[in-house]
């Protein structure tokens, strides 16, 4: 059995999904769009928009030092 199947069939998977649901709800309730992309646990509309068209550029704004 793969790790993914094991997670999906075990109560741990349910717990992980519930935790992610709580984190999502904390961002915005209700969400205004899917996907909603956040960085550093903080929603910024301009980052969300940029990340949907150029994720690497949006992410690199938050990387300090050498960037890929």
């Amino acid at each position: 059995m793969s790790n993914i199947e094991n997670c999906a069939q075990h109560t741990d998977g349910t717990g992980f999904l519930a935790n992610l649901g709580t984190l999502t709800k904390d961002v915005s309730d209700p969400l205004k769009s899917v996907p909603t992309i956040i960085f550093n646990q903080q929603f910024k509309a301009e980052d969300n928009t940029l990340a949907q068209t150029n994720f690497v550029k949006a992410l690199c704004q938050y990387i300090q030092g050498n960037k890929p």
Side-chain angles (χ1 to χ4, degrees):
M1 181 179 300
S2 75
N3 289 340
I4 293 173
E5 289 172 332
N6 188 44
C7 180
Q9 295 175 5
H10 194 273
T11 56
D12 287 349
T14 303
F16 293 141
L17 185 59
N19 184 48
L20 291 171
T22 299
L23 291 172
T24 300
K25 187 174 182 183
D26 289 346
V27 171
S28 177
D29 188 20
L31 289 178
K32 294 176 180 48
S33 68
V34 175
T36 295
I37 302 168
I38 64 170
F39 295 96
N40 296 330
Q41 299 176 335
Q42 186 175 29
F43 175 77
K44 293 182 180 176
E46 58 276 6
D47 288 347
N48 180 56
T49 301
L50 177 60
Q52 291 183 42
T53 58
N54 190 337
F55 185 80
V56 172
K57 183 175 181 180
L59 177 62
C60 281
Q61 297 178 115
Y62 290 93
I63 296 175
Q64 296 179 2
N66 294 334
K67 298 179 182 182

